[in-house]
Amino acid sequence: MTVKEIAEKLDFQVLGGEKGLDQAVTTGYVSDLLSDVMGNARAGSIWVTLQTHKNVMAIASLKDLAAIILVNNHKPEDDMLAQSNEEGIPVLATSMGTFDVSGKLYELLRK
Amino acid sequence: MHFEYQIEGGNFTRAGFASSEIKKMMKQLNVDLGIIKRTVVATYEAEVNVVAHAYSGTIYVDFDEEKVVIKLVDEGPGIDDINQAMTEGYSTASSTVREMGFGAGMGLPNMKKNADDLQITSEVGKGTTVIITMFFAKSEQ
Ligand SMILES: Nc1ncnc2c1ncn2[C@@H]1O[C@H](COP(=O)(O)OP(=O)(O)O)[C@@H](O)[C@H]1O
Ligand SMILES: [Mg+2]
């Protein structure tokens, strides 16, 4: 499933990185600890987090993640958004909390 | 091939830049993807440690036919007890750094897990040197 399909199905707002919307999402990873994501997330993951600074994009890029979803209406800082656009790694947003987002993503992606 | 990068202590906006450059070079050299992935994890954590814990540093990167050696030399407080620092969960990171999601005390364990060889030497009050070596072909073990 592509980032775009997920965003449409779950009504996520696309805040940046539109170039990467056709990227395939293979699985998800949920964490706010950057070393945890660095050590354990798999390439092609959609990353669920509430961290909104630029280092999130550095990690997403280094780990070849497909997209980032910010929960609870968190908004990315300007330089995070700028790097999202530059790298073509989408940043999505939702008003849902981590539990609901993860549950819905799991439903979609396990098929 | 030899490259150098400067790291500024406390400046998180550039953390990961050198790791990203090293990743690009390894891709160009067609290094096995699994090896690139491990290099990225180890190098990023080492880079972030200089930003989070030291005042300034330099990364020296040397490629040859069979390996890449990534040496990070920093000026900083140094590490008093390296074994303790290697323990999963041990961190002296400030609360600001923790709020950003750094400072989980997983950096050195991540480096140990992913580097083919990891050497750390440190002098309290002076600085720390970390040497990560990655081999391009898996040697028989
Ligand atoms: N370059 C360094 N200079 C000084 N201290 C360091 C350095 N790298 C690591 N340390 C010390 O080792 C601890 C553990 O490092 P690490 O496992 O990366 O966890 P974290 O960076 O999350 O604190 C740090 O909290 C710090 O006390
Ligand atoms: Mg660290």
Side-chain angles (χ1 to χ4, degrees):
Chain A
M1 191 169 301
T2 66
V3 177
K4 189 177 180 181
E5 286 169 322
I6 290 177
E8 280 170 0
K9 282 197 168 72
L10 298 182
D11 203 18
F12 294 157
Q13 217 185 322
V14 178
L15 301 180
E18 278 88 354
K19 269 185 290 179
L21 283 174
D22 291 328
Q23 188 74 35
V25 177
T26 47
T27 181
Y29 202 76
V30 184
S31 185
D32 302 317
L33 293 178
L34 305 190
S35 284
D36 177 36
V37 178
M38 203 61 215
N40 299 313
R42 278 187 277 159
S45 296
I46 183 165
W47 175 14
V48 184
T49 185
L50 45 70
Q51 296 291 354
T52 56
H53 51 86
K54 193 182 171 205
N55 299 277
V56 168
M57 297 316 304
I59 288 174
S61 165
L62 286 167
K63 296 290 287 184
D64 299 316
L65 305 185
I68 291 144
I69 168 83
L70 300 178
V71 297
N72 283 334
N73 279 323
H74 276 68
K75 292 281 173 284
E77 289 169 19
D78 290 345
D79 54 0
M80 172 170 170
L81 200 56
Q83 202 178 337
S84 156
N85 289 323
E86 209 172 289
E87 306 248 6
I89 303 174
V91 173
L92 315 174
T94 178
S95 58
M96 279 188 275
T98 307
F99 180 76
D100 291 325
V101 171
S102 306
K104 294 201 168 177
L105 281 172
Y106 186 80
E107 272 299 307
L108 274 184
L109 290 171
R110 71 175 179 161
K111 279 168 203 155
Chain B
M1 279 195 299
H2 177 85
F3 302 90
E4 293 185 18
Y5 304 93
Q6 298 301 319
I7 316 175
E8 210 186 308
N11 183 1
F12 280 94
T13 61
R14 268 177 71 82
F17 177 79
S19 305
S20 165
E21 293 298 300
I22 293 167
K23 179 185 174 188
K24 278 182 216 157
M25 282 182 256
M26 290 178 88
K27 279 198 157 168
Q28 266 166 22
L29 294 170
N30 275 318
V31 175
D32 174 81
L33 198 58
I35 298 170
I36 298 180
K37 284 181 178 175
R38 287 191 290 111
T39 309
V40 161
V41 176
T43 311
Y44 179 78
E45 292 290 4
E47 204 182 336
V48 165
N49 275 355
V50 177
V51 177
H53 307 296
Y55 316 135
S56 68
T58 309
I59 309 188
Y60 304 90
V61 184
D62 282 284
F63 281 93
D64 67 24
E65 293 286 297
E66 55 172 16
K67 64 182 183 300
V68 57
V69 179
I70 300 154
K71 180 174 172 183
L72 300 94
V73 181
D74 74 48
E75 288 170 28
I79 305 172
D80 182 32
D81 182 342
I82 294 177
N83 280 332
Q84 180 186 41
M86 295 296 304
T87 313
E88 182 119 21
Y90 177 83
S91 176
T92 59
S94 68
S95 56
T96 335
V97 168
R98 279 169 205 256
E99 273 162 30
M100 290 172 79
F102 294 107
M106 295 169 71
L108 290 169
N110 267 353
M111 285 155 67
K112 180 91 197 147
K113 234 176 276 169
N114 287 279
D116 286 332
D117 186 66
L118 178 68
Q119 304 288 339
I120 303 173
T121 51
S122 191
E123 199 178 325
V124 173
K126 280 197 92 174
T128 302
T129 297
V130 171
I131 305 174
I132 296 163
T133 306
M134 305 299 300
F135 296 99
F136 297 154
K138 282 235 178 66
S139 58
E140 253 108 322
Q141 284 177 341

